[in-house]
Amino acid sequence: MLAKLKTFDASRYSIFIILIAVCVAASFLNPNFLGADNLLNVLRQVAVITILAYGAMVLIIGKMIDLSAGAVMAFAGVVSVMVYKSTGSLLLALLMGIVIGVACNLVSAFLVATLRTPAFIVTLGMMMVARGAVLQLTQGQNVLELDRFVVFGQGTLGWLPIPTLFLLVLTAIVWYLMTQTRFGRSVYAVGGNEEAARAAGIAVDRTKYKAFVLNGTLVGLAGVIFMSRVNAGLPNAGVGYELQAITAPIIGGTSFSGGVGTTLGTLAGALIVGVLGNIMNLTGVGSYIQQIVMGLIIVVAVAYDVFSKRGKTATVILKPTDDKHPPTTASGAGTGTGPARPVSTADPLTRS
């Protein structure tokens, strides 16, 4: 028992400790916070952002980023609404939302993986294209009278809100993909060291395509849920959502340096943001002050990530068998050409 306590790594669970502390503090600030209705409302509110955050997490782990998530979400959601109003089919509307999300992300994947264009520039351009497309499609007008379409965002299964059900199912799926499949291990390897991943035989470009497709699927679903929840197809929806989606995984421990991050950590990060927003609403904090608080959280989280990784960027890939040849590192240091052997204990294909 003593040995287990000695090997307990509190840093692995710090984000969950912070989440519990925030919830305890919120309960003291307002006794209504712990009410069942309010807690379900928090889960319902964070569902869309958390689903977007899972996609952002996958890309950031792979050392990429998506700045188009909010605009693509609006595009996918509005198209889904219009398909429903034309056909009356909930299933077809849901599938079309996913198709739009995936299609936009496939374009981004082609530019990033095949043409080697920086993901920041590509997704910034896609943000403008998607926003312009949805505004052109609707002529800037909201699409109203959604009828049964609201089931995705406002329906319940017993006592459980449908958006929360989506969130729980997608959490399990993303966790499984990132921890139990070759795809997930490849994403970690590519984000940790792309050249080492290529040397290990990982199809880097294919991995990037798959990561964008997963992100597109999640963004499309988020768009459908969002439009259903607000009971309208809003072409101007989702402004700034991409930044909120990036905030949650960063708070949850995902590193901008790539190769590090967890699904449950991202969920905890999203819940922390949701709880903070909820308690500020309950205590009457103004919306402008809330934006300042969230902005400070982003800056502190990113600054901490950069500070904690400082001095740890050089990773030894190969170590020579004698002292005559210097080791080869991830940064390209060392010019030895003699016999070498791998020394890393974390194979890119088995990294988690």
Side-chain angles (χ1 to χ4, degrees), residues 15-326:
I15 186 63
F16 304 104
I17 295 172
I18 293 172
L19 175 60
I20 293 172
V22 169
C23 290
V24 171
S27 67
F28 281 106
L29 290 172
N30 192 305
N32 294 325
F33 172 77
L34 291 178
D37 290 341
N38 185 63
L39 292 178
L40 285 175
N41 185 50
V42 171
L43 290 175
R44 187 185 294 110
Q45 288 177 341
V46 303
V48 169
I49 290 298
T50 308
I51 292 170
L52 290 176
Y54 288 152
M57 175 201 73
V58 173
L59 292 178
I60 294 172
I61 289 174
K63 216 167 185 178
M64 297 174 284
I65 197 168
D66 180 17
L67 297 180
S68 67
V72 174
M73 182 194 81
F75 188 19
V78 168
V79 170
S80 178
V81 167
M82 296 178 74
V83 168
Y84 172 73
K85 289 181 69 70
S86 298
T87 66
S89 172
L90 290 173
L91 178 60
L92 185 58
L94 179 64
L95 292 176
M96 281 305 300
I98 295 174
V99 166
I100 294 297
V102 170
C104 291
N105 275 263
L106 279 174
V107 174
S108 296
F110 173 75
L111 294 171
V112 171
T114 303
L115 300 186
R116 303 291 192 270
T117 312
F120 181 91
I121 301 300
V122 168
T123 57
L124 182 62
M126 179 56 70
M127 175 180 69
M128 300 175 68
V129 170
R131 186 67 67 185
V134 68
L135 289 171
Q136 175 65 31
L137 182 65
T138 62
Q139 293 299 301
Q141 301 299 311
N142 297 336
V143 182
L144 306 175
E145 300 179 6
L146 304 193
D147 193 28
R148 292 190 304 131
F149 188 84
V150 298
V151 69
F152 294 121
Q154 300 182 24
T156 59
L157 186 63
W159 55 269
L160 186 66
I162 296 298
T164 304
L165 178 61
F166 270 109
L167 175 60
L168 295 176
V169 172
L170 291 173
T171 298
I173 292 173
V174 174
W175 174 86
Y176 178 81
L177 289 174
M178 295 304 292
T179 62
Q180 306 298 315
T181 68
R182 185 180 182 87
F183 160 72
R185 292 188 289 272
S186 297
V187 172
Y188 280 102
V190 170
N193 190 313
E194 183 171 325
E195 294 307 314
R198 289 185 190 277
I202 294 175
V204 172
D205 292 352
R206 186 184 304 171
T207 299
K208 290 182 178 181
Y209 269 93
K210 289 180 179 179
F212 270 104
V213 167
L214 177 57
N215 179 60
T217 301
L218 295 171
V219 170
L221 282 170
V224 173
I225 296 170
F226 179 89
M227 299 305 171
S228 174
R229 186 161 181 257
V230 299
N231 194 19
L234 307 179
N236 285 308
V239 175
Y241 271 46
E242 58 279 344
L243 300 181
Q244 295 184 51
I246 292 171
T247 301
I250 296 302
I251 292 175
T254 301
S255 172
F256 261 126
S257 301
V260 176
T262 65
T263 304
L264 295 182
T266 298
L267 175 62
L271 288 174
I272 288 173
V273 174
V275 168
L276 288 174
N278 180 258
I279 196 61
M280 284 191 287
N281 286 330
L282 290 177
T283 54
V285 176
S287 60
Y288 301 142
I289 300 298
Q290 291 188 32
Q291 291 185 42
I292 294 173
V293 171
M294 294 305 175
L296 290 174
I297 290 174
I298 295 174
V299 172
V300 171
V302 174
Y304 174 77
D305 173 61
V306 172
F307 178 79
S308 64
K309 301 299 184 297
R310 186 172 297 167
K312 301 178 181 179
T313 56
T315 303
V316 175
I317 303 172
L318 297 175
K319 181 178 180 181
T321 55
D322 55 58
D323 296 332
K324 297 180 180 179
H325 304 94

